[in-house]
Amino acid sequence: MPVGIIGHYKCGEHDMGDHHPENGNRLTAISDQLIRSGLDYVVRQFDSKPIDKSLLALAHTQKYIDFVFDNAPTEAKGEDKGEAGENFTVGEDAVMNSKTLTSILYSAGAAVDAVDLVMDGTLGSAFCATRPPGHHAEHDKGMGFCFFNNVAIAAAYAKQKYGLKRVAIVDFDVHHGNGTEDIIKNVFKASPKDDKGYLFCSSYQYPLYPFDIEESDTPPIINTPLAATTKGKEFREKLSAHWLPALHKFKPELIIISAGFDAHIEDDMSQVSLTEADYRWITDELKVIANEYSGGKIVSVLEGGYAPSALGRSVVAHINGLIGN
């Protein structure tokens, strides 16, 4: 089955200010590396559609959704003169300009589109090359560069539309997916007594933003902290011991990946020292599990990764793993 890349040029227009690490150049770096690797001729590419606003309520309160929409800047004052436009701060390090709401809707829309393309058999797996990211967005607030939680929305959508009983979300961003955990607990109402058909596995440097995290090996939450000194060997050992057994026991019908590449050794966002080979390794392991339990169905969504060259190379390694090259 083919692998697809889903995105939209409007995802590059969201701007949180000069020199901010979460910027549109991230998508350009990915595109450049895909061309350089020749993968642009191998994968199928799709433009995403903006998500239907009603689907945001699968993971977020209506009050928060209305707050974002009602306060989204609609006019960049002085933009035609090259001046900075109007901004609105949604939450801690989550700032909107006049282009942001559109970017948010196309980013969340890509995750939902990816579910449809994988579930209807058009694609075997899909990677969403989109921004802004989403895994820090909680059910009632945005934070950490994130506004709406793309992977949580996609997971709930997959269960609602396709009647899936078991959806796993795995997050190898160097920062904990606090928003995803929050939504699984407070919106999906999953608990150790009743997982509601969700499993969430997150690895992350600790201590590091967002700091207040509880280590867990009890489904539906598998939180696997990594020391700042962690390199590939320790990363693989930790995930082999904590994630892989839980995923095999869970038998997911769909795996959704929060694919953050900011644990790369070249990325200044953390001190963990992974390489492209480590991202290829975890992709291969997840593909084995997907092949065994779900016919290979994987939806991967970009989260972090702020060193442009390392990000592009890591995404290429990740997509090669999805393909099986």
Side-chain angles (χ1 to χ4, degrees), residues 6-24:
I6 305 168
H8 200 282
Y9 77 92
K10 290 184 179 293
C11 290
E13 296 182 344
H14 161 57
D15 180 8
M16 290 207 294
D18 292 343
H19 312 299
H20 197 285
E22 206 296 280
N23 59 64

Side-chain angles (χ1 to χ4, degrees), residues 26-37 40 45 129 312:
R26 301 175 64 226
L27 300 184
T28 303
I30 291 171
S31 178
D32 288 348
Q33 287 290 347
L34 288 171
I35 293 169
R36 188 170 290 116
S37 69
D40 60 319
Q45 302 200 38

Side-chain angles (χ1 to χ4, degrees), residues 263-302:
H264 196 283
I265 190 171
E266 295 175 22
D267 199 310
D268 293 335
M269 195 61 75
S270 75
Q271 291 74 49
V272 173
S273 300
L274 303 186
T275 67
E276 299 95 299
D278 299 308
Y279 293 119
R280 174 59 192 264
W281 172 82
I282 185 54
T283 306
D284 288 344
E285 294 295 325
L286 294 173
K287 188 175 173 66
V288 167
I289 292 168
N291 286 342
E292 184 167 351
Y293 303 112
S294 70
K297 296 180 180 68
I298 295 176
V299 168
S300 180
V301 181
L302 179 65

Side-chain angles (χ1 to χ4, degrees), residues 16-285:
M16 290 207 294
D18 292 343
H19 312 299
H20 197 285
E22 206 296 280
N23 59 64
N25 292 332
R26 301 175 64 226
L27 300 184
T28 303
I30 291 171
S31 178
D32 288 348
Q33 287 290 347
L34 288 171
I35 293 169
R36 188 170 290 116
S37 69
L39 281 179
D40 60 319
Y41 288 107
V42 177
V43 299
R44 295 184 62 184
Q45 302 200 38
F46 297 82
D47 283 337
S48 66
K49 302 182 294 294
I51 194 169
D52 187 307
K53 182 181 177 181
S54 65
L55 293 178
L56 301 174
L58 291 171
H60 297 280
T61 64
Q62 193 61 50
K63 180 179 180 181
Y64 173 62
I65 295 166
D66 292 341
F67 169 75
V68 173
F69 274 75
D70 291 348
N71 290 286
T74 56
E75 180 181 354
K77 297 175 181 177
E79 194 174 66
D80 59 337
K81 301 176 183 178
E83 299 172 5
E86 178 186 1
N87 290 326
F88 179 76
T89 299
V90 170
E92 178 185 298
D93 216 348
V95 179
M96 302 180 75
N97 73 348
S98 63
K99 308 282 189 177
T100 300
L101 183 59
T102 299
S103 297
I104 289 169
L105 298 181
Y106 276 98
S107 187
V112 168
D113 289 345
V115 169
D116 285 334
L117 289 164
V118 168
M119 291 305 301
D120 72 12
T122 301
L123 298 173
S125 57
F127 176 73
C128 299
T130 53
R131 56 180 291 277
H135 74 148
H136 290 310
E138 299 187 351
H139 74 288
D140 59 354
K141 68 177 180 180
M143 58 186 286
F145 313 167
C146 303
F147 301 89
F148 293 121
N149 196 304
N150 304 321
V151 296
I153 294 166
Y157 175 79
K159 292 195 70 178
Q160 179 190 74
K161 182 170 182 178
Y162 296 99
L164 299 184
K165 292 183 171 61
R166 297 178 306 281
V167 176
I169 304 173
V170 298
D171 185 335
F172 51 71
D173 192 279
V174 83
H175 303 93
H176 177 56
N178 63 290
T180 309
E181 179 175 342
D182 165 75
I183 290 165
I184 287 173
K185 290 178 175 178
N186 295 309
V187 179
F188 303 163
K189 303 299 183 184
S191 70
K193 292 183 179 179
D194 182 358
D195 62 25
K196 303 294 185 183
Y198 293 99
L199 178 68
F200 177 55
C201 302
S202 179
S203 61
Y204 49 89
Q205 181 177 320
Y206 186 80
L208 191 68
Y209 183 90
F211 302 109
D212 188 16
I213 310 158
E214 291 185 9
E215 183 175 356
S216 173
D217 260 339
T218 305
I221 306 298
I222 309 295
N223 280 337
T224 307
L226 306 172
T229 55
T230 297
K231 296 181 174 60
K233 182 175 182 291
E234 296 91 341
F235 172 75
R236 298 182 191 203
E237 289 172 349
K238 284 262 192 175
L239 270 56
S240 293
H242 298 275
W243 284 22
L244 303 186
L247 286 162
H248 277 292
K249 184 175 181 180
F250 183 67
K251 298 178 174 60
E253 295 171 297
L254 174 67
I255 295 176
I256 299 178
I257 302 174
S258 271
F261 301 96
D262 40 3
H264 196 283
I265 190 171
E266 295 175 22
D267 199 310
D268 293 335
M269 195 61 75
S270 75
Q271 291 74 49
V272 173
S273 300
L274 303 186
T275 67
E276 299 95 299
D278 299 308
Y279 293 119
R280 174 59 192 264
W281 172 82
I282 185 54
T283 306
D284 288 344
E285 294 295 325

